[in-house]
């Protein structure tokens, strides 16, 4: 089986801005500590680079508090990159700011122009399909435009439903290999992963469902020992990364990078 959904040559990340304290959040549990966030982000980038990948770290954008979460701004496939159209109005400028970087790495860059909306956090790319979860940030019209863009390259798009109260589809799941998904029991119960092997997060540890398979590492937020044990027992090499500050503004590990191998 191909490994193009888990093994990559490149990544793009962006340094947190000091304005991150004003980032969007569903529940206010306090502002993130900037210095701690910077330390976590440095560890994150170092882990990506440890796999031999070329990681571009873009400068902070103070005018966009959520801009550290670059995954929402674009979808990067082998054949092309697609600039998203975020559903939060304050984030539309982040997608525009990402476009020049994508154009420096890809010969083919498309763009979601609307009227629909779609964010990368709602998109899970496996070896067989692109799953897109409808949410408060991603609409059917946005998914339809994405499907039209990727169809000529042989990609199949399947729409699924993000659970009520969950910000993004990938808040509750992540791809561990071509046929294995880490998921909360809540999301898996919807049947959206029928045909895949699924590892459930342990009770009380649903926040670690948003992990990353990047080359030979699974990056997992620190502090979820029962789920880490399950993933390691399934044969995966886990590296823990602090995520307490990103979590205060609804951010997970996948949110902080675009991962790809441009052809």
């Amino acid at each position: 089986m191909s490994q193009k959904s888990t093994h990559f040559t490149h990544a793009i990340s962006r340094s947190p801005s000091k304005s991150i304290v004003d980032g969007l959040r569903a529940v206010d549990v306090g502002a993130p500590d900037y210095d701690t966030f910077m330390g976590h982000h440095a560890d994150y980038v170092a882990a990506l680079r440890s796999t031999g990948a070329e990681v571009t770290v873009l400068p902070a954008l103070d005018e966009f508090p959520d801009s550290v979460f670059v995954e929402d701004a674009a979808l990067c496939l082998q054949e092309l990159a697609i600039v998203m159209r975020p559903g939060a109005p304050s984030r539309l400028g982040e997608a525009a700011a990402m476009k020049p970087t994508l154009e420096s790495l890809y010969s083919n860059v498309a763009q979601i122009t609307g009227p629909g909306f779609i964010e990368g956090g709602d998109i899970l790319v496996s070896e067989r399909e692109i799953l897109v979860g409808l949410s408060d940030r991603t609409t059917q019209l946005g998914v339809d435009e994405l499907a039209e863009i990727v169809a000529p390259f042989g990609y199949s798009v399947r729409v699924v439903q993000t659970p009520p109260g969950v910000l993004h589809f990938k808040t509750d799941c992540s791809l561990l290999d071509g046929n294995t998904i880490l998921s909360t029991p809540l999301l898996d119960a919807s049947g959206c992963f029928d045909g895949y092997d699924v590892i459930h997060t342990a009770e009380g540890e649903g926040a670690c469902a948003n992990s990353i398979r990047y080359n030979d590492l699974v990056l997992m937020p620190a502090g979820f020992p029962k789920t880490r044990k399950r993933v390691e027992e399934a044969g995966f090499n886990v590296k823990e990364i602090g995520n307490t500050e990103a979590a205060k503004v609804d951010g997970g590990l996948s949110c902080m990078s675009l991962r790809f191998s441009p052809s």
Side-chain angles (χ1 to χ4, degrees):
M1 179 180 287
S2 167
Q3 294 182 314
K4 67 179 182 179
S5 61
T6 57
H7 286 65
F8 312 100
T9 59
H10 290 68
I12 298 171
S13 190
R14 185 182 293 281
S15 294
S17 67
K18 290 188 176 180
S19 64
I20 188 63
V21 296
D22 299 317
L24 298 172
R25 66 203 77 178
V27 179
D28 192 351
V29 294
D33 180 82
Y34 175 73
D35 290 336
T36 303
F37 202 146
M38 285 293 290
H40 290 169
H41 192 266
D43 292 343
Y44 180 88
V45 171
L48 297 178
R49 285 177 170 156
S50 75
T51 70
E54 179 180 325
V55 182
T56 299
V57 180
L58 301 175
L61 292 175
D62 285 335
E63 63 269 39
F64 298 113
D66 296 286
S67 56
V68 64
F69 303 129
V70 293
E71 183 181 55
D72 291 324
L75 174 64
C76 293
L77 304 171
Q78 281 191 341
E79 300 86 353
L80 78 164
I82 306 155
V83 179
M84 298 285 99
R85 190 166 187 255
S90 63
R91 302 195 65 191
L92 286 169
E94 297 174 32
M98 181 59 67
K99 189 175 182 180
T101 299
L102 298 175
E103 290 175 335
S104 73
L105 293 162
Y106 281 90
S107 59
N108 188 359
V109 177
Q111 185 161 359
I112 302 293
T113 59
F117 297 93
I118 187 166
E119 296 191 356
D122 284 314
I123 303 172
L124 182 73
V125 181
S126 76
E127 294 298 321
R128 67 183 80 162
E129 60 186 343
I130 298 175
L131 291 87
V132 186
L134 299 180
S135 70
D136 291 341
R137 304 281 187 87
T138 292
T139 65
Q140 183 64 56
L141 287 175
V143 178
D144 292 343
E145 188 172 355
L146 173 67
E148 184 176 348
I149 291 171
V150 301
F153 301 94
Y155 289 96
S156 171
V157 174
R158 178 160 64 94
V159 176
V160 295
Q161 185 62 54
T162 303
V166 176
L167 177 62
H168 283 134
F169 181 63
K170 280 194 297 196
T171 300
D172 272 38
C173 67
S174 50
L175 190 76
L176 296 181
D177 67 22
N179 199 56
T180 305
I181 289 174
L182 177 66
S183 173
T184 61
L186 172 66
L187 181 57
D188 185 35
S190 71
C192 62
F193 300 131
D194 289 351
Y196 289 90
D197 296 326
V198 180
I199 298 174
H200 285 165
T201 56
E203 184 176 356
E205 295 191 353
C208 71
N210 182 267
S211 296
I212 307 171
R213 172 66 188 275
Y214 194 85
N215 297 333
D216 293 329
L217 289 179
V218 172
L219 305 186
M220 178 177 287
F224 302 95
K226 294 178 182 177
T227 305
R228 173 176 181 162
K229 183 179 180 181
R230 292 180 183 184
V231 173
E232 288 178 331
E233 287 178 344
F236 297 100
N237 181 21
V238 176
K239 168 75 173 177
E240 288 192 344
I241 303 290
N243 193 61
T244 56
E245 305 316 293
K248 292 176 182 177
V249 280
D250 298 335
L253 293 188
S254 79
C255 308
M256 292 186 286
S257 65
L258 293 165
R259 304 162 297 279
F260 57 101
S261 300
S263 58

